[in-house]
């Protein structure tokens, strides 16, 4: 699961009403034109998701307390947190329908980008399974199954009607190969850990960690601090890209390591300077995004020059390319 949390997006905890169980999950689409740029630019997906939340909060007729959906799924296979776990959706048409099912929206629309990618379908399945671990029943429906609408569009609805299979023939996520268990886990905080990074690793959310441990979103973690992680499998060790050295990052450098760095920055919410998404060439956009990341971390802010050093690289946790 590639989870982008509310903390990664720079959003506060959801103000939506709480609800701990439903009959299942309803699948949605945007219902308006969606740019095909999302297919090649993950930064555009993040911008799209933020724009949806902004428009919902500005909607005085519906009077939304937050973005309407519990999660969104993008063409690159990222699950983007909305209201998240334990919150009633606002997307299904009326209060009774909202109470019956949680909601996940695929970032496809009525024109432009209309066909979900396999990665998007896998991300929707990730969201369904995550919600099932946290109170959702087994039903998987389209928005139109409860409300007079074209949502979730033809391609997504056909997939739902077919049982919402995971691409490759699996109806549920493959078993973990990390040797973890699904029982509660006590995690010891290590150097560089954040609530967001721990939530991502354990396929849970910052909100769930906060609630379980009596924390606040803004609480800073201490090395050696014990955190409870419940209802999530312990993660397999993720292979990380070794630090290539600060001298690696200069104009003219071309490498898949730079692409991996850019994608990691975007996933963490630090990709605003890209105009066409991360790529293999080291550019000023990469440097400025790294600088924004450094400024966001107190231990790095004093040397926010935009060039990854050992401390910055360790904090970024760039997956091996």
């Amino acid at each position: 699961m590639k989870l982008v949390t509310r903390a990664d997006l720079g959003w506060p905890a959801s103000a939506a009403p709480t609800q701990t169980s439903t009959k299942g999950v309803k699948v949605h689409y945007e219902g308006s034109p969606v740019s095909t740029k999302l297919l090649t630019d993950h930064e555009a997906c993040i911008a799209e998701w933020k724009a949806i939340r902004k428009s919902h909060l500005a909607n005085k007729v519906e009077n939304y307390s937050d973005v309407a959906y519990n999660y969104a799924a993008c063409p690159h296979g990222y699950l983007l947190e909305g209201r998240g776990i334990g919150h009633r959706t606002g997307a299904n048409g009326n209060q009774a329908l909202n109470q019956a099912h949680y909601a996940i929206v695929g970032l496809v629309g009525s024109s432009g980008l209309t066909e979900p990618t396999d990665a998007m379908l896998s991300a929707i399945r990730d969201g369904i399974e995550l919600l099932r671990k946290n109170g959702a029943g087994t039903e998987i429906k389209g928005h139109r199954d409860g409300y007079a609408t074209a949502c979730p569009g033809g391609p997504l609805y056909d997939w739902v009607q077919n049982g919402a299979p995971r691409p490759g023939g699996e109806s549920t996520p493959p078993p973990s190969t990390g040797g973890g268990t699904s029982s509660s886990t006590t995690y010891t905080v290590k150097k560089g850990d954040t609530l967001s990074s721990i939530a991502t690793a354990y396929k849970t959310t910052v909100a769930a960690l906060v609630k379980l441990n009596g924390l606040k979103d803004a609480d800073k973690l201490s090395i050696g601090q014990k955190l409870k992680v419940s209802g999530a499998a312990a993660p397999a060790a993720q292979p990380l890209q070794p630090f290539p050295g600060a001298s690696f990052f200069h104009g003219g450098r071309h490498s898949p390591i730079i692409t991996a760095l850019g994608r990691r920055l975007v996933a963490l919410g630090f990709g605003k300077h890209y105009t066409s998404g991360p790529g293999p060439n080291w550019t000023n956009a990469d440097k400025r995004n790294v600088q924004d990341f450094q400024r966001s971390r107190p231990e790095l802010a004093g040397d926010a020059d935009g060039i990854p050093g050992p401390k910055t690289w360790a904090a970024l946790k760039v997956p091996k390319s």
Side-chain angles (χ1 to χ4, degrees):
M1 180 188 300
K2 299 189 292 187
L3 179 64
V4 178
T5 68
R6 293 181 68 91
D8 293 333
L9 295 163
W11 296 352
S14 179
T18 57
Q19 182 173 338
T20 57
S21 65
T22 65
K23 295 178 181 178
V25 178
K26 279 197 171 82
V27 177
H28 295 249
Y29 80 151
E30 292 194 46
S32 57
V34 175
S35 173
T36 55
K37 182 180 180 182
L38 271 63
L39 289 170
T40 57
D41 184 0
H42 181 55
E43 182 186 2
C45 299
I46 299 296
E48 183 86 359
W49 185 224
K50 289 183 176 181
I52 290 171
R53 181 173 185 264
K54 184 176 181 180
S55 69
H56 285 186
L57 290 175
N59 188 328
K60 301 303 181 183
V61 176
E62 299 292 344
N63 196 29
Y64 292 114
S65 59
D66 195 2
V67 64
Y69 310 100
N70 297 93
Y71 291 96
C74 87
H76 307 278
Y78 286 89
L79 186 67
L80 312 177
E81 188 177 17
R83 296 188 177 202
I85 291 170
H87 290 281
R88 184 191 309 161
T89 183
N92 292 331
N94 58 46
Q95 186 170 0
L97 292 171
N98 291 336
Q99 290 172 332
H101 296 86
Y102 294 126
I104 299 176
V105 59
L107 297 185
V108 292
S110 56
S111 63
L113 178 55
T114 60
E115 294 278 349
T117 63
D118 283 353
M120 179 185 292
L121 297 179
S122 286
I124 295 174
R125 282 296 322 193
D126 287 340
I128 290 169
E129 299 305 326
L130 179 59
L131 288 166
R132 281 180 175 177
K133 289 180 180 178
N134 292 275
T138 58
E139 290 186 354
I140 304 174
K141 295 181 176 291
H143 186 192
R144 69 176 71 173
D145 289 325
Y147 195 78
T149 175
C151 186
L156 263 181
Y157 191 62
D158 289 344
W159 176 71
V160 169
Q161 290 289 90
N162 195 37
R166 187 177 289 272
E170 299 175 57
S171 59
T172 57
S176 169
T177 58
T181 68
S182 59
S183 59
S184 296
T185 299
T186 299
Y187 179 80
T188 302
V189 176
K190 300 179 179 62
K191 185 176 181 180
D193 281 336
T194 64
L195 283 171
S196 176
S197 67
I198 296 169
T200 299
Y202 277 83
K203 299 183 181 180
T204 184
T205 66
V206 171
L209 288 175
V210 165
K211 183 177 180 180
L212 187 61
N213 292 279
L215 303 173
K216 297 179 181 178
D217 284 350
D219 283 351
K220 295 181 179 179
L221 301 179
S222 302
I223 297 174
Q225 180 180 353
K226 304 292 185 182
L227 290 181
K228 295 179 182 178
V229 184
S230 181
Q238 183 182 24
L240 300 179
Q241 181 66 51
F243 179 51
S247 61
F248 179 89
F249 301 100
H250 61 77
R253 173 69 73 172
H254 179 96
S255 171
I257 294 175
I258 295 171
T259 304
L261 167 62
R263 288 174 177 166
R264 180 61 177 157
L265 286 165
V266 169
L268 293 172
F270 296 94
K272 71 178 183 180
H273 298 294
Y274 293 127
T275 57
S276 57
N281 297 315
W282 179 253
T283 67
N284 283 332
D286 294 296
K287 185 174 181 178
R288 292 169 70 187
N289 287 327
V290 170
Q291 192 171 40
D292 286 346
F293 172 78
Q294 291 170 325
R295 287 170 175 163
S296 75
R297 303 290 292 268
E299 71 274 23
L300 304 174
D303 190 27
D305 59 1
I307 303 298
K311 289 184 179 180
T312 297
W313 197 257
L316 281 165
K317 295 181 171 63
V318 178
K320 199 166 185 178
S321 58

